[in-house]
Amino acid sequence: MITKEINFAVEVLNNNNLVAIPTETVYGLAGNALNTEAVSKIFKLKNRPFYNPLIVHLKSIEFLPQIARNIPSKACKLAQDFWPGPLTLVLDKNPNVPDLVTSGKSTVAVRVPNHPLSLALLQKLDFPLAAPSANPFGSISPTSAAHVDHYFQNDLEVILDGGQCQRGIESTIIGFKDGDPIVYRLGSLSLDEIQQSVGKVKTLETKTSKQPEAPGMLSRHYAPKTDTVLTEHVRETIQAFPHEKIGVLLFKNRLTNDTVYSQEVLSESGDLNEAARNLYAAMHRLDQLDLDKIIAEKLPEFGLGLTLNDKLTRATKKA
Ligand code: TXA
Ligand code: MG
């Protein structure tokens, strides 16, 4: 059932079953973070490997000490500056957080989502919600209730409909080493915004799945089923595939006089926030056209453009 009504969702969650929830980033597949039965249902439904830990969603910053400890001062600053919002902090975990949630790690990922419906839902629960993005493992993240319905139609009792996600890209994930922030995953919160809050931060090279700090950062991720290439030279790349049914994903300028089957423009005004909001929906649409190839235009390498290029690069990797 797709609904805006939270009461049934509360009941389903209290019974250790799952609900899809809207957040400002992407939709999440949520269950009681402190209950292993609920958490194991998340892994099962997503077909997610157990080595890939989940994010715990809190109703507010006050509840952070229930989940995490030894919180570095820069983590407090970031939480105060950006919660509720698209920032996930990886912190030392408290013993009450099940090992299943953290894949046996001593750290837990945690954030306060910024969506009125999910915050209202969390207020009615006496536990936090573990929620990965509501897509099967490795596929494109959902930014609307319809996307979630497409993936999990028959498997979810409730999909809470909070409209189109305002940010459209996952949260930025930050861990700490000796109290200093390290970006594990680029996301909706730009590096510039983070650095304005806590000064210079390092970025973890996460092109392979080998880094123990960020177990879920597989190189192929957020991926359409259709073969996808990322390029700065869209026209030349189209010409290299003259006999193929092609869809293009463009930043701001539509192609004229062209032979491609379909075009998606992310932001006609060249606004990277708008491009982020539209990216996954555009990828979902192109992926449903039975194309031979998606040709994606590389975005400018600053601000959210860095995040979008990272997601697109992962979408182009072969399985
Ligand atoms: O915007 C978001 O973050 C969305 C919404 C629903 O909140 N959630 C999301 O979850 O993107 P998911 O499961 O798709 O991605 C969570 C990432 C994974 O890559 C995982 O490896 C990482 O968080 N993670 C979780 N716990 C961690 C930990 N203890 N240490 C390092 N990375 C962790
Ligand atoms: Mg995900």
Side-chain angles (χ1 to χ4, degrees):
M1 172 173 68
I2 301 181
T3 175
K4 295 184 190 322
E5 173 52 55
I6 60 175
N7 287 336
F8 186 42
V10 171
E11 195 183 312
V12 171
L13 289 164
N14 279 329
N15 287 329
N16 296 324
N17 286 317
L18 308 184
V19 166
I21 59 166
T23 83
E24 80 282 31
T25 59
V26 299
Y27 275 71
L29 186 62
N32 180 349
L34 304 180
N35 180 277
T36 49
E37 183 193 342
V39 174
S40 60
K41 286 178 186 166
I42 296 175
F43 281 95
K44 189 159 175 236
L45 186 53
K46 258 196 82 116
N47 196 18
R48 181 179 178 109
F50 285 106
Y51 63 76
N52 193 0
L54 306 178
I55 297 174
V56 175
H57 296 69
L58 304 177
K59 61 182 114 181
S60 75
I61 190 171
E62 283 83 67
F63 291 84
L64 183 57
Q66 290 186 4
I67 300 299
R69 61 203 169 91
N70 306 331
I71 301 166
S73 60
K74 285 186 180 172
C76 290
K77 172 82 165 73
L78 286 165
Q80 271 154 5
D81 286 355
F82 298 115
W83 283 356
L87 167 73
T88 295
L89 298 173
V90 176
L91 302 166
D92 287 351
K93 87 177 195 72
N94 269 343
N96 62 323
V97 180
D99 287 335
L100 194 57
V101 172
T102 63
S103 302
K105 289 167 73 70
S106 61
T107 53
V108 60
V110 54
R111 83 178 188 102
V112 180
N114 190 12
H115 192 289
L117 213 52
S118 290
L119 287 171
L121 175 67
L122 282 161
Q123 288 296 344
K124 293 207 166 194
L125 300 170
D126 57 10
F127 47 80
L129 291 172
S133 51
N135 51 293
F137 181 66
S139 57
I140 308 166
S141 296
T143 54
S144 70
H147 292 159
V148 182
D149 192 47
H150 171 77
Y151 285 138
F152 296 121
Q153 210 164 24
N154 304 318
D155 304 308
L156 282 174
E157 283 175 89
V158 182
I159 298 172
L160 266 186
D161 186 356
Q164 193 199 349
C165 299
Q166 280 302 306
R167 299 282 194 150
I169 299 281
E170 290 83 350
S171 62
T172 300
I173 303 182
I174 297 188
F176 296 85
K177 185 152 198 288
D178 303 325
D180 286 326
I182 301 172
V183 176
Y184 289 173
R185 177 176 79 180
L186 291 171
S188 282
L189 192 65
S190 73
L191 278 179
D192 301 339
E193 289 170 284
I194 292 159
Q195 296 190 141
Q196 271 163 29
S197 166
V198 290
K200 190 112 190 84
V201 294
K202 284 196 197 135
T203 314
L204 198 69
E205 223 354 89
T206 56
K207 295 287 185 279
T208 73
S209 59
K210 302 254 161 53
Q211 286 84 359
E213 297 90 344
M217 305 289 127
L218 301 177
S219 60
R220 180 179 163 84
H221 218 136
Y222 317 101
K225 293 191 291 298
T226 315
D227 187 31
T228 302
V229 289
L230 178 63
T231 175
E232 285 168 50
H233 310 287
V234 174
R235 284 185 177 281
E236 289 82 342
T237 310
I238 293 169
Q239 282 160 12
F241 303 103
H243 306 296
E244 302 210 339
K245 182 178 171 188
I246 285 174
V248 287
L249 187 61
L250 300 158
F251 178 33
K252 55 182 177 182
N253 297 320
R254 185 167 287 280
L255 301 174
T256 47
N257 305 325
D258 223 291
T259 54
V260 294
Y261 183 81
S262 177
Q263 301 195 35
E264 290 282 348
V265 176
L266 294 176
S267 171
E268 280 175 7
S269 63
D271 173 0
L272 286 166
N273 289 308
E274 186 183 25
R277 187 155 59 241
N278 290 330
L279 177 67
Y280 289 154
M283 280 164 71
H284 276 281
R285 282 192 295 272
L286 288 173
D287 208 19
Q288 275 157 33
L289 296 177
D290 208 17
L291 301 165
D292 295 321
K293 205 172 279 312
I294 296 171
I295 296 176
E297 181 177 29
K298 202 167 174 198
L299 292 135
E301 280 280 305
F302 58 83
L304 277 186
L306 295 170
T307 299
L308 298 177
N309 286 334
D310 179 66
K311 304 291 173 198
L312 285 168
T313 303
R314 290 169 199 278
T316 61
K317 292 276 155 51
K318 298 273 182 285

PDB file of all heavy atoms in Angstrom, residues 146-174:
ATOM      1  N   ALA A 146       6.912   5.615  -6.282  1.00  0.00           N
ATOM      2  CA  ALA A 146       6.696   4.742  -7.450  1.00  0.00           C
ATOM      3  C   ALA A 146       7.934   3.890  -7.743  1.00  0.00           C
ATOM      4  O   ALA A 146       7.814   2.720  -8.132  1.00  0.00           O
ATOM      5  CB  ALA A 146       6.326   5.586  -8.668  1.00  0.00           C
ATOM      6  N   HIS A 147       9.119   4.467  -7.574  1.00  0.00           N
ATOM      7  CA  HIS A 147      10.350   3.673  -7.773  1.00  0.00           C
ATOM      8  C   HIS A 147      10.398   2.490  -6.797  1.00  0.00           C
ATOM      9  O   HIS A 147      10.747   1.367  -7.177  1.00  0.00           O
ATOM     10  CB  HIS A 147      11.608   4.524  -7.536  1.00  0.00           C
ATOM     11  CG  HIS A 147      11.842   5.601  -8.553  1.00  0.00           C
ATOM     12  ND1 HIS A 147      12.627   6.689  -8.292  1.00  0.00           N
ATOM     13  CD2 HIS A 147      11.402   5.746  -9.823  1.00  0.00           C
ATOM     14  CE1 HIS A 147      12.665   7.483  -9.370  1.00  0.00           C
ATOM     15  NE2 HIS A 147      11.927   6.920 -10.306  1.00  0.00           N
ATOM     16  N   VAL A 148      10.045   2.768  -5.535  1.00  0.00           N
ATOM     17  CA  VAL A 148      10.077   1.695  -4.529  1.00  0.00           C
ATOM     18  C   VAL A 148       9.056   0.618  -4.895  1.00  0.00           C
ATOM     19  O   VAL A 148       9.332  -0.583  -4.829  1.00  0.00           O
ATOM     20  CB  VAL A 148       9.754   2.230  -3.110  1.00  0.00           C
ATOM     21  CG1 VAL A 148       9.850   1.105  -2.089  1.00  0.00           C
ATOM     22  CG2 VAL A 148      10.690   3.370  -2.732  1.00  0.00           C
ATOM     23  N   ASP A 149       7.882   1.083  -5.318  1.00  0.00           N
ATOM     24  CA  ASP A 149       6.810   0.164  -5.693  1.00  0.00           C
ATOM     25  C   ASP A 149       7.253  -0.732  -6.856  1.00  0.00           C
ATOM     26  O   ASP A 149       6.984  -1.932  -6.875  1.00  0.00           O
ATOM     27  CB  ASP A 149       5.580   0.996  -6.080  1.00  0.00           C
ATOM     28  CG  ASP A 149       4.335   0.144  -6.191  1.00  0.00           C
ATOM     29  OD1 ASP A 149       4.097  -0.665  -5.272  1.00  0.00           O
ATOM     30  OD2 ASP A 149       3.616   0.267  -7.200  1.00  0.00           O
ATOM     31  N   HIS A 150       7.972  -0.146  -7.792  1.00  0.00           N
ATOM     32  CA  HIS A 150       8.493  -0.883  -8.941  1.00  0.00           C
ATOM     33  C   HIS A 150       9.414  -2.023  -8.479  1.00  0.00           C
ATOM     34  O   HIS A 150       9.365  -3.132  -8.997  1.00  0.00           O
ATOM     35  CB  HIS A 150       9.246   0.106  -9.838  1.00  0.00           C
ATOM     36  CG  HIS A 150      10.026  -0.513 -10.950  1.00  0.00           C
ATOM     37  ND1 HIS A 150       9.440  -0.975 -12.105  1.00  0.00           N
ATOM     38  CD2 HIS A 150      11.351  -0.736 -11.081  1.00  0.00           C
ATOM     39  CE1 HIS A 150      10.379  -1.469 -12.892  1.00  0.00           C
ATOM     40  NE2 HIS A 150      11.547  -1.329 -12.302  1.00  0.00           N
ATOM     41  N   TYR A 151      10.235  -1.745  -7.456  1.00  0.00           N
ATOM     42  CA  TYR A 151      11.182  -2.759  -6.975  1.00  0.00           C
ATOM     43  C   TYR A 151      10.527  -3.797  -6.067  1.00  0.00           C
ATOM     44  O   TYR A 151      10.847  -4.980  -6.127  1.00  0.00           O
ATOM     45  CB  TYR A 151      12.304  -2.097  -6.161  1.00  0.00           C
ATOM     46  CG  TYR A 151      13.361  -1.361  -6.962  1.00  0.00           C
ATOM     47  CD1 TYR A 151      13.837  -0.126  -6.527  1.00  0.00           C
ATOM     48  CD2 TYR A 151      13.910  -1.907  -8.120  1.00  0.00           C
ATOM     49  CE1 TYR A 151      14.827   0.550  -7.229  1.00  0.00           C
ATOM     50  CE2 TYR A 151      14.898  -1.232  -8.827  1.00  0.00           C
ATOM     51  CZ  TYR A 151      15.358  -0.014  -8.377  1.00  0.00           C
ATOM     52  OH  TYR A 151      16.337   0.651  -9.069  1.00  0.00           O
ATOM     53  N   PHE A 152       9.657  -3.344  -5.153  1.00  0.00           N
ATOM     54  CA  PHE A 152       9.237  -4.219  -4.051  1.00  0.00           C
ATOM     55  C   PHE A 152       7.714  -4.361  -3.921  1.00  0.00           C
ATOM     56  O   PHE A 152       7.216  -4.666  -2.824  1.00  0.00           O
ATOM     57  CB  PHE A 152       9.786  -3.688  -2.717  1.00  0.00           C
ATOM     58  CG  PHE A 152      11.276  -3.705  -2.625  1.00  0.00           C
ATOM     59  CD1 PHE A 152      11.992  -2.527  -2.405  1.00  0.00           C
ATOM     60  CD2 PHE A 152      11.990  -4.897  -2.741  1.00  0.00           C
ATOM     61  CE1 PHE A 152      13.373  -2.537  -2.305  1.00  0.00           C
ATOM     62  CE2 PHE A 152      13.371  -4.916  -2.640  1.00  0.00           C
ATOM     63  CZ  PHE A 152      14.061  -3.737  -2.427  1.00  0.00           C
ATOM     64  N   GLN A 153       7.014  -4.109  -5.006  1.00  0.00           N
ATOM     65  CA  GLN A 153       5.560  -4.118  -5.054  1.00  0.00           C
ATOM     66  C   GLN A 153       4.882  -5.085  -4.089  1.00  0.00           C
ATOM     67  O   GLN A 153       4.085  -4.691  -3.255  1.00  0.00           O
ATOM     68  CB  GLN A 153       5.160  -4.490  -6.456  1.00  0.00           C
ATOM     69  CG  GLN A 153       3.874  -3.914  -6.906  1.00  0.00           C
ATOM     70  CD  GLN A 153       3.806  -4.030  -8.418  1.00  0.00           C
ATOM     71  OE1 GLN A 153       4.460  -4.895  -9.006  1.00  0.00           O
ATOM     72  NE2 GLN A 153       3.062  -3.172  -9.032  1.00  0.00           N
ATOM     73  N   ASN A 154       5.245  -6.361  -4.216  1.00  0.00           N
ATOM     74  CA  ASN A 154       4.485  -7.373  -3.472  1.00  0.00           C
ATOM     75  C   ASN A 154       5.077  -7.680  -2.108  1.00  0.00           C
ATOM     76  O   ASN A 154       4.510  -8.460  -1.356  1.00  0.00           O
ATOM     77  CB  ASN A 154       4.420  -8.669  -4.283  1.00  0.00           C
ATOM     78  CG  ASN A 154       3.825  -8.419  -5.648  1.00  0.00           C
ATOM     79  OD1 ASN A 154       2.843  -7.682  -5.760  1.00  0.00           O
ATOM     80  ND2 ASN A 154       4.425  -8.987  -6.688  1.00  0.00           N
ATOM     81  N   ASP A 155       6.194  -7.080  -1.801  1.00  0.00           N
ATOM     82  CA  ASP A 155       6.905  -7.486  -0.587  1.00  0.00           C
ATOM     83  C   ASP A 155       6.758  -6.525   0.579  1.00  0.00           C
ATOM     84  O   ASP A 155       7.213  -6.816   1.668  1.00  0.00           O
ATOM     85  CB  ASP A 155       8.400  -7.631  -0.895  1.00  0.00           C
ATOM     86  CG  ASP A 155       8.623  -8.597  -2.038  1.00  0.00           C
ATOM     87  OD1 ASP A 155       8.094  -9.703  -1.955  1.00  0.00           O
ATOM     88  OD2 ASP A 155       9.290  -8.217  -3.010  1.00  0.00           O
ATOM     89  N   LEU A 156       6.160  -5.367   0.338  1.00  0.00           N
ATOM     90  CA  LEU A 156       6.061  -4.372   1.413  1.00  0.00           C
ATOM     91  C   LEU A 156       4.600  -4.066   1.722  1.00  0.00           C
ATOM     92  O   LEU A 156       3.810  -3.786   0.817  1.00  0.00           O
ATOM     93  CB  LEU A 156       6.753  -3.072   0.988  1.00  0.00           C
ATOM     94  CG  LEU A 156       8.267  -3.051   1.069  1.00  0.00           C
ATOM     95  CD1 LEU A 156       8.804  -1.750   0.485  1.00  0.00           C
ATOM     96  CD2 LEU A 156       8.739  -3.214   2.511  1.00  0.00           C
ATOM     97  N   GLU A 157       4.268  -4.087   3.020  1.00  0.00           N
ATOM     98  CA  GLU A 157       2.899  -3.730   3.410  1.00  0.00           C
ATOM     99  C   GLU A 157       2.654  -2.242   3.249  1.00  0.00           C
ATOM    100  O   GLU A 157       1.558  -1.815   2.897  1.00  0.00           O
ATOM    101  CB  GLU A 157       2.661  -4.113   4.873  1.00  0.00           C
ATOM    102  CG  GLU A 157       2.436  -5.590   5.098  1.00  0.00           C
ATOM    103  CD  GLU A 157       2.334  -5.879   6.576  1.00  0.00           C
ATOM    104  OE1 GLU A 157       1.224  -5.820   7.114  1.00  0.00           O
ATOM    105  OE2 GLU A 157       3.385  -6.134   7.190  1.00  0.00           O
ATOM    106  N   VAL A 158       3.695  -1.440   3.535  1.00  0.00           N
ATOM    107  CA  VAL A 158       3.525   0.014   3.491  1.00  0.00           C
ATOM    108  C   VAL A 158       4.699   0.692   2.788  1.00  0.00           C
ATOM    109  O   VAL A 158       5.859   0.458   3.135  1.00  0.00           O
ATOM    110  CB  VAL A 158       3.441   0.621   4.910  1.00  0.00           C
ATOM    111  CG1 VAL A 158       3.204   2.132   4.827  1.00  0.00           C
ATOM    112  CG2 VAL A 158       2.357  -0.033   5.726  1.00  0.00           C
ATOM    113  N   ILE A 159       4.376   1.531   1.811  1.00  0.00           N
ATOM    114  CA  ILE A 159       5.344   2.471   1.256  1.00  0.00           C
ATOM    115  C   ILE A 159       4.818   3.855   1.620  1.00  0.00           C
ATOM    116  O   ILE A 159       3.755   4.262   1.150  1.00  0.00           O
ATOM    117  CB  ILE A 159       5.465   2.326  -0.277  1.00  0.00           C
ATOM    118  CG1 ILE A 159       5.969   0.923  -0.646  1.00  0.00           C
ATOM    119  CG2 ILE A 159       6.391   3.405  -0.850  1.00  0.00           C
ATOM    120  CD1 ILE A 159       5.932   0.616  -2.142  1.00  0.00           C
ATOM    121  N   LEU A 160       5.534   4.564   2.494  1.00  0.00           N
ATOM    122  CA  LEU A 160       5.099   5.912   2.882  1.00  0.00           C
ATOM    123  C   LEU A 160       5.467   6.870   1.760  1.00  0.00           C
ATOM    124  O   LEU A 160       6.636   6.959   1.384  1.00  0.00           O
ATOM    125  CB  LEU A 160       5.805   6.352   4.164  1.00  0.00           C
ATOM    126  CG  LEU A 160       5.114   6.109   5.495  1.00  0.00           C
ATOM    127  CD1 LEU A 160       5.938   6.775   6.595  1.00  0.00           C
ATOM    128  CD2 LEU A 160       3.691   6.624   5.497  1.00  0.00           C
ATOM    129  N   ASP A 161       4.458   7.580   1.270  1.00  0.00           N
ATOM    130  CA  ASP A 161       4.688   8.455   0.127  1.00  0.00           C
ATOM    131  C   ASP A 161       4.970   9.879   0.571  1.00  0.00           C
ATOM    132  O   ASP A 161       4.068  10.585   1.009  1.00  0.00           O
ATOM    133  CB  ASP A 161       3.454   8.416  -0.784  1.00  0.00           C
ATOM    134  CG  ASP A 161       3.683   9.183  -2.072  1.00  0.00           C
ATOM    135  OD1 ASP A 161       4.756   9.797  -2.230  1.00  0.00           O
ATOM    136  OD2 ASP A 161       2.770   9.168  -2.928  1.00  0.00           O
ATOM    137  N   GLY A 162       6.216  10.276   0.448  1.00  0.00           N
ATOM    138  CA  GLY A 162       6.603  11.641   0.825  1.00  0.00           C
ATOM    139  C   GLY A 162       6.962  12.470  -0.383  1.00  0.00           C
ATOM    140  O   GLY A 162       7.701  13.450  -0.269  1.00  0.00           O
ATOM    141  N   GLY A 163       6.480  12.065  -1.549  1.00  0.00           N
ATOM    142  CA  GLY A 163       6.771  12.818  -2.775  1.00  0.00           C
ATOM    143  C   GLY A 163       8.178  12.567  -3.276  1.00  0.00           C
ATOM    144  O   GLY A 163       8.863  11.641  -2.830  1.00  0.00           O
ATOM    145  N   GLN A 164       8.594  13.403  -4.212  1.00  0.00           N
ATOM    146  CA  GLN A 164       9.934  13.263  -4.796  1.00  0.00           C
ATOM    147  C   GLN A 164      10.976  13.730  -3.772  1.00  0.00           C
ATOM    148  O   GLN A 164      10.777  14.750  -3.110  1.00  0.00           O
ATOM    149  CB  GLN A 164      10.023  14.132  -6.052  1.00  0.00           C
ATOM    150  CG  GLN A 164      11.245  13.833  -6.891  1.00  0.00           C
ATOM    151  CD  GLN A 164      11.582  14.976  -7.861  1.00  0.00           C
ATOM    152  OE1 GLN A 164      10.807  15.903  -8.048  1.00  0.00           O
ATOM    153  NE2 GLN A 164      12.748  14.896  -8.463  1.00  0.00           N
ATOM    154  N   CYS A 165      12.067  12.981  -3.646  1.00  0.00           N
ATOM    155  CA  CYS A 165      13.108  13.360  -2.675  1.00  0.00           C
ATOM    156  C   CYS A 165      13.744  14.695  -3.072  1.00  0.00           C
ATOM    157  O   CYS A 165      14.115  14.882  -4.232  1.00  0.00           O
ATOM    158  CB  CYS A 165      14.180  12.284  -2.600  1.00  0.00           C
ATOM    159  SG  CYS A 165      13.531  10.692  -2.055  1.00  0.00           S
ATOM    160  N   GLN A 166      13.857  15.589  -2.113  1.00  0.00           N
ATOM    161  CA  GLN A 166      14.354  16.941  -2.383  1.00  0.00           C
ATOM    162  C   GLN A 166      15.810  16.969  -2.826  1.00  0.00           C
ATOM    163  O   GLN A 166      16.193  17.768  -3.663  1.00  0.00           O
ATOM    164  CB  GLN A 166      14.194  17.809  -1.134  1.00  0.00           C
ATOM    165  CG  GLN A 166      12.790  18.331  -0.944  1.00  0.00           C
ATOM    166  CD  GLN A 166      12.330  19.146  -2.153  1.00  0.00           C
ATOM    167  OE1 GLN A 166      12.986  20.078  -2.570  1.00  0.00           O
ATOM    168  NE2 GLN A 166      11.203  18.745  -2.721  1.00  0.00           N
ATOM    169  N   ARG A 167      16.631  16.088  -2.250  1.00  0.00           N
ATOM    170  CA  ARG A 167      18.058  16.075  -2.607  1.00  0.00           C
ATOM    171  C   ARG A 167      18.347  15.108  -3.743  1.00  0.00           C
ATOM    172  O   ARG A 167      19.110  15.406  -4.643  1.00  0.00           O
ATOM    173  CB  ARG A 167      18.900  15.687  -1.397  1.00  0.00           C
ATOM    174  CG  ARG A 167      18.764  16.635  -0.237  1.00  0.00           C
ATOM    175  CD  ARG A 167      19.599  17.892  -0.486  1.00  0.00           C
ATOM    176  NE  ARG A 167      19.749  18.648   0.736  1.00  0.00           N
ATOM    177  CZ  ARG A 167      20.811  19.407   1.014  1.00  0.00           C
ATOM    178  NH1 ARG A 167      21.810  19.493   0.168  1.00  0.00           N
ATOM    179  NH2 ARG A 167      20.868  20.070   2.139  1.00  0.00           N
ATOM    180  N   GLY A 168      17.807  13.911  -3.650  1.00  0.00           N
ATOM    181  CA  GLY A 168      17.888  12.972  -4.761  1.00  0.00           C
ATOM    182  C   GLY A 168      19.133  12.106  -4.820  1.00  0.00           C
ATOM    183  O   GLY A 168      19.226  11.205  -5.651  1.00  0.00           O
ATOM    184  N   ILE A 169      20.115  12.383  -3.980  1.00  0.00           N
ATOM    185  CA  ILE A 169      21.348  11.587  -3.914  1.00  0.00           C
ATOM    186  C   ILE A 169      21.563  11.212  -2.447  1.00  0.00           C
ATOM    187  O   ILE A 169      21.220  11.987  -1.546  1.00  0.00           O
ATOM    188  CB  ILE A 169      22.557  12.423  -4.409  1.00  0.00           C
ATOM    189  CG1 ILE A 169      22.365  12.859  -5.869  1.00  0.00           C
ATOM    190  CG2 ILE A 169      23.869  11.689  -4.230  1.00  0.00           C
ATOM    191  CD1 ILE A 169      22.656  11.804  -6.899  1.00  0.00           C
ATOM    192  N   GLU A 170      22.157  10.056  -2.183  1.00  0.00           N
ATOM    193  CA  GLU A 170      22.369   9.583  -0.814  1.00  0.00           C
ATOM    194  C   GLU A 170      23.130  10.596   0.050  1.00  0.00           C
ATOM    195  O   GLU A 170      23.804  11.482  -0.466  1.00  0.00           O
ATOM    196  CB  GLU A 170      23.172   8.270  -0.822  1.00  0.00           C
ATOM    197  CG  GLU A 170      22.432   7.061  -1.357  1.00  0.00           C
ATOM    198  CD  GLU A 170      22.448   6.960  -2.867  1.00  0.00           C
ATOM    199  OE1 GLU A 170      22.877   7.916  -3.557  1.00  0.00           O
ATOM    200  OE2 GLU A 170      22.011   5.914  -3.382  1.00  0.00           O
ATOM    201  N   SER A 171      23.069  10.356   1.357  1.00  0.00           N
ATOM    202  CA  SER A 171      23.795  11.218   2.301  1.00  0.00           C
ATOM    203  C   SER A 171      25.307  11.080   2.102  1.00  0.00           C
ATOM    204  O   SER A 171      25.800  10.066   1.606  1.00  0.00           O
ATOM    205  CB  SER A 171      23.424  10.827   3.733  1.00  0.00           C
ATOM    206  OG  SER A 171      23.804   9.490   3.992  1.00  0.00           O
ATOM    207  N   THR A 172      26.011  12.117   2.507  1.00  0.00           N
ATOM    208  CA  THR A 172      27.480  12.070   2.544  1.00  0.00           C
ATOM    209  C   THR A 172      27.879  11.345   3.826  1.00  0.00           C
ATOM    210  O   THR A 172      27.336  11.636   4.892  1.00  0.00           O
ATOM    211  CB  THR A 172      28.031  13.511   2.544  1.00  0.00           C
ATOM    212  OG1 THR A 172      27.576  14.151   1.350  1.00  0.00           O
ATOM    213  CG2 THR A 172      29.556  13.524   2.606  1.00  0.00           C
ATOM    214  N   ILE A 173      28.793  10.370   3.719  1.00  0.00           N
ATOM    215  CA  ILE A 173      29.187   9.597   4.903  1.00  0.00           C
ATOM    216  C   ILE A 173      30.583  10.022   5.360  1.00  0.00           C
ATOM    217  O   ILE A 173      31.525  10.049   4.566  1.00  0.00           O
ATOM    218  CB  ILE A 173      29.177   8.079   4.609  1.00  0.00           C
ATOM    219  CG1 ILE A 173      27.796   7.638   4.126  1.00  0.00           C
ATOM    220  CG2 ILE A 173      29.585   7.293   5.862  1.00  0.00           C
ATOM    221  CD1 ILE A 173      27.677   6.146   3.848  1.00  0.00           C
ATOM    222  N   ILE A 174      30.676  10.312   6.651  1.00  0.00           N
ATOM    223  CA  ILE A 174      31.954  10.754   7.225  1.00  0.00           C
ATOM    224  C   ILE A 174      32.329   9.886   8.425  1.00  0.00           C
ATOM    225  O   ILE A 174      31.522   9.685   9.334  1.00  0.00           O
ATOM    226  CB  ILE A 174      31.856  12.232   7.660  1.00  0.00           C
ATOM    227  CG1 ILE A 174      31.606  13.096   6.420  1.00  0.00           C
ATOM    228  CG2 ILE A 174      33.121  12.680   8.386  1.00  0.00           C
ATOM    229  CD1 ILE A 174      31.681  14.573   6.670  1.00  0.00           C
TER     230      ILE A 174
END
